[in-house]
Amino acid sequence: MPLNRRTLLGSAAAAGAGAALAAGGTAPAQAAGHGQGSVHGRPPKRYAFTVMGTTDLHGNVFNWDYFTDKEFDDAAHNDVGLAKISTLVDQVRAEKGRQNTLLIDAGDTIQGTQLSYYYAKVDPITAKRGPVHPMAQAMNAIGYDAAALGNHEFNYGIPVLRKFEEQVRFPLLGANALDAKTLKPAFAPYVIKKLRTPHGRDVRVAILGLTNPGIAIWDKANVQGKMTFPGLEEQAAKWVPKLRSMGADVVIISAHSGSDGSSSYGDQLPYVENAAGLVAERVPGIDAILVGHAHAEIPERRVVNKKTGKDVVLSEPLKWGQRLTLFDFALVWERGRWTVERVTSKVLNSNTVAEDKKITQLLTDEHRKVVAYVNEVIGTSTAAMSTTDAPWKDEPIIDLINHVQAETVKAALAGGEWAALPVLSQASCFSRTAGIPAGEVTIKDAAGLYPFENTLEARLMTGAQLLAYLEYSAKYYVRTAAGVPVDTSKLTNADGTPDYNYDVVSGLTYEIDVAKAAGSRIVDARFEGKPLDPAAKFVLAVNNYRASGGGNFPHVAGAQQLWSNSDEIRNTIIGWVKAKGTVDPAEFASVEWKLTRDGSPVF
């Protein structure tokens, strides 16, 4: 499918694509509150409306965990899925009046569950007479008004994204997703929704969509030479004044970008990954930002714009449909136009409501197909393996990932220039609840080890570079003095480092001294029993996220690529289990790393 399909190739076209039909309906509720005084003894005209927001839905429609094959649950008893969100949305619309509400999303919609994987890869929506994506069906039924693009929208390639774009009945927004050749928007930058008021003048609400510049790194194979992704602040500064000049009374940004100003790709791009707070602070004319990407919960954060002195309200609902953000806007009519008088926000918890039957019934067949798929038996295991202790112990289940990756790379390089080099492998504990049972192994068991659509690469690394890589990884641990009791609940995730940004490397032996400061923790690193030679060359089997700079690990992104594969690593694991028939930890499990303090093992 050509890249410029449904694209905007000029400001006139952009304006046309951005405009939306006015919403009709009965007279809306008026806002309470105090504002400007009455005009000639008459009270000022006021109007209130609500914008609901979701983000990081990641393919969740049902309150179901396909990796455990049962209803979703976590320690906080959160629920997930669009079926729950639909119930909350109906409640808000009933309270506020549907004509006084909008519903938007901040991205990462079509990747993350086996439901979304199935309709991208097993029964793909891109096939001739292919199915309609379950997320498109659900979001259409709920009645979304717009959704920003997330970085994970690009995981399955642009054709899948374009087909999804065809299937939804609302615009996918990405003002900073540009055609690489024309540098014009490849998706609609914005949409303007008109809300009818009882005072004769509609309220024009502009929704500007911004996505994450990290797409250029994380999905380089899918977007290089096709799309480019400039920074959020730069594009907001370009578009917000345009939207105001077009008559927007309210400007909302839906941003697939966290709020804290951090970046995981270091200096590889000149843009900030989590830029929503900076956009609020530096770009005038924004009333509210729906925040995504960070998987955080922010009911309300108020950021003062440095140029106007006005508050910009930010809110981020928790991932997977666990929360629904509500922005409540109070407007007053003054000097011939609508002015935002007050904005507040909060989040609603989806575990307080039942699933909407109109959504679950709509997708019953799709759900059943995927449940049957993930329960297909592909082999057996001689022992049970679990990730429960994997964040702090060398566990066989992580060794399995590294073993499959290393074997795959060795086979790919066999007979070639690099065949004689030793192959090491990196892996992370993506989920602390994944496991391989003793006995029958299903697709869901194997896929649960690797919930991301990462692919495999081989990169050339030196011993010195690998040592730096391990030191960077070891910052994951909270510094814990020798002799102090160790609480595993407080040992990991130092400075907010997620589990997926802690890598272990197989093929080397080493200790991590958590009593030492970050940067000087790797002790006695060895290869084949000998001290690691800084000049020695190795092949590192590494996922494409890490190889392209994800997590900002040193050296790997700049290392020479020796080989790459287009198949997801989890499919490689599934294929390996099918081919072996029997998984025996005795064939691959060994303790190659351990945590220590002053030379004494922590566990």
Side-chain angles (χ1 to χ4, degrees):
M1 194 169 296
L3 175 64
N4 63 356
R5 194 173 186 282
R6 295 182 62 184
T7 57
L8 307 176
L9 300 180
S11 59
L21 293 175
T26 57
Q30 295 189 33
H34 303 284
Q36 299 295 321
S38 62
V39 180
H40 303 300
R42 297 192 302 272
K45 299 173 183 178
R46 286 197 167 85
Y47 175 70
F49 70 96
T50 297
V51 176
M52 297 172 281
T54 55
T55 191
D56 296 278
L57 293 168
H58 283 289
N60 285 279
V61 173
F62 297 84
N63 186 39
W64 194 260
D65 185 339
Y66 292 96
F67 293 132
T68 61
D69 199 22
K70 59 185 180 182
E71 185 174 305
F72 177 88
D73 195 24
D74 63 11
H77 301 299
N78 288 302
D79 287 346
V80 300
L82 276 169
K84 291 267 185 173
I85 290 296
S86 183
T87 302
L88 290 175
V89 167
D90 283 349
Q91 290 180 354
V92 174
R93 285 171 173 164
E95 177 189 350
K96 308 284 186 178
R98 178 164 185 150
Q99 72 279 9
N100 305 316
T101 65
L102 297 171
L103 175 60
I104 64 177
D105 183 81
D108 276 6
T109 303
I110 61 171
Q111 174 278 338
T113 63
Q114 286 295 287
L115 181 70
S116 54
Y117 175 81
Y118 187 89
Y119 288 98
K121 292 290 189 178
V122 182
D123 185 12
I125 61 174
T126 49
K128 190 175 182 180
R129 298 188 184 90
V132 177
H133 199 290
M135 294 300 287
Q137 292 190 58
M139 295 175 84
N140 288 341
I142 295 169
Y144 274 77
D145 293 288
L149 296 165
N151 53 285
H152 284 288
E153 259 66 82
F154 294 85
N155 285 172
Y156 297 117
I158 291 171
V160 170
L161 176 54
R162 287 298 189 194
K163 189 64 178 180
F164 179 72
E165 184 187 24
E166 276 185 22
Q167 293 180 342
V168 295
R169 296 197 291 265
F170 51 87
L172 299 182
L173 306 178
N176 62 328
L178 308 182
D179 183 290
K181 294 180 180 177
T182 67
L183 298 183
K184 299 290 178 62
F187 295 85
Y190 65 89
V191 65
I192 294 179
K193 306 295 289 187
K194 295 179 181 178
L195 300 178
R196 187 162 297 162
T197 78
H199 304 299
R201 166 74 152 76
D202 294 342
V203 171
R204 295 168 60 86
V205 182
I207 303 160
L208 178 68
L210 296 170
T211 192
N212 205 287
I215 295 166
I217 292 176
W218 305 320
D219 267 300
K220 182 178 179 179
N222 290 329
V223 302
Q224 188 174 35
K226 299 173 184 177
M227 292 187 191
T228 185
F229 302 88
L232 283 84
E233 184 183 343
E234 167 193 326
Q235 293 299 302
K238 172 184 175 180
W239 283 102
V240 171
K242 288 185 179 181
L243 296 172
R244 290 293 184 182
S245 70
M246 292 164 60
D249 302 299
V250 180
V251 173
I252 301 166
I253 291 181
S254 184
H256 194 75
S257 180
S259 67
D260 66 2
S262 65
S263 280
S264 67
Y265 42 71
D267 58 1
Q268 296 174 75
L269 286 175
Y271 311 118
V272 176
E273 177 182 351
N274 295 304
L278 296 175
V279 171
E281 184 180 273
R282 297 173 181 176
V283 180
I286 302 164
D287 296 298
I289 301 179
L290 177 65
V291 178
H293 183 61
H295 290 198
E297 181 175 346
I298 306 173
E300 181 180 275
R301 178 187 169 195
R302 309 185 81 87
V303 175
V304 177
N305 184 270
K306 287 184 175 181
K307 295 183 179 179
T308 66
K310 294 181 179 179
D311 278 359
V312 181
V313 177
L314 280 63
S315 181
E316 181 174 7
L318 201 57
K319 64 186 186 296
W320 305 346
Q322 294 178 17
R323 305 288 186 272
L324 175 70
T325 277
L326 300 188
F327 290 104
D328 288 312
F329 292 84
L331 278 64
V332 62
W333 180 265
E334 55 185 15
R335 299 180 183 88
R337 61 170 295 172
W338 288 110
T339 301
V340 174
E341 191 174 36
R342 185 177 67 258
V343 185
T344 59
S345 67
K346 62 182 179 181
V347 294
L348 304 181
N349 193 329
S350 66
N351 73 5
T352 63
V353 297
E355 291 185 314
D356 186 341
K357 289 184 178 179
K358 78 171 180 283
I359 303 301
T360 56
Q361 290 173 359
L362 177 68
L363 294 166
T364 295
D365 288 346
E366 289 84 346
H367 177 64
R368 286 174 177 168
K369 283 181 183 178
V370 175
V371 169
Y373 164 73
V374 301
N375 281 287
E376 290 178 14
V377 175
I378 56 174
T380 59
S381 178
T382 62
M385 294 177 281
S386 168
T387 58
T388 302
D389 294 335
W392 48 83
K393 289 182 181 178
D394 188 342
E395 290 288 292
I397 198 165
I398 305 300
D399 293 339
L400 171 60
I401 298 173
N402 275 326
H403 180 71
V404 172
Q405 292 181 164
E407 275 202 350
T408 302
V409 168
K410 285 175 185 176
L413 298 180
E417 179 183 0
W418 311 103
L421 289 181
V423 177
L424 312 180
S425 179
Q426 63 79 222
S428 303
C429 176
F430 294 117
S431 167
R432 298 192 185 194
T433 59
I436 298 290
E440 291 185 341
V441 178
T442 63
I443 284 176
K444 77 172 185 288
D445 298 324
L449 300 182
Y450 226 105
F452 297 105
E453 274 68 40
N454 294 343
T455 58
L456 188 61
E457 296 189 15
R459 296 283 178 130
L460 183 64
M461 302 275 281
T462 67
Q465 289 172 333
L466 287 163
L467 188 61
Y469 189 101
L470 289 171
E471 284 287 8
Y472 182 86
S473 183
K475 71 184 181 65
Y476 168 75
Y477 293 104
V478 175
R479 189 174 187 179
T480 309
V484 174
V486 175
D487 179 352
T488 56
S489 69
K490 299 176 181 178
L491 178 63
T492 62
N493 308 102
D495 298 321
T497 303
D499 290 347
Y500 63 77
N501 272 346
Y502 171 60
D503 286 1
V504 300
V505 173
S506 72
L508 302 176
T509 60
Y510 56 95
E511 298 175 7
I512 302 173
D513 191 331
V514 296
K516 297 181 182 296
S520 58
R521 290 177 170 174
I522 302 301
V523 178
D524 198 25
R526 293 176 175 267
F527 174 67
E528 294 184 340
K530 298 177 181 178
L532 180 62
D533 180 357
K537 292 183 179 180
F538 299 88
V539 177
L540 180 66
V542 59
N543 69 57
N544 69 302
Y545 174 79
R546 192 69 78 232
S548 59
N552 200 29
F553 276 62
H555 304 300
V556 65
Q560 182 179 350
Q561 184 190 78
L562 308 181
W563 172 83
S564 67
N565 187 15
S566 61
D567 201 17
E568 286 96 347
I569 291 170
R570 65 175 165 210
N571 281 343
T572 304
I573 296 171
I574 290 168
W576 184 88
V577 174
K578 283 182 176 179
K580 291 283 290 184
T582 301
V583 178
D584 183 0
E587 295 181 5
F588 54 80
S590 62
V591 177
E592 294 182 313
W593 65 273
K594 59 185 176 183
L595 301 186
T596 61
R597 292 184 294 181
D598 294 346
S600 299
V602 174
F603 301 105

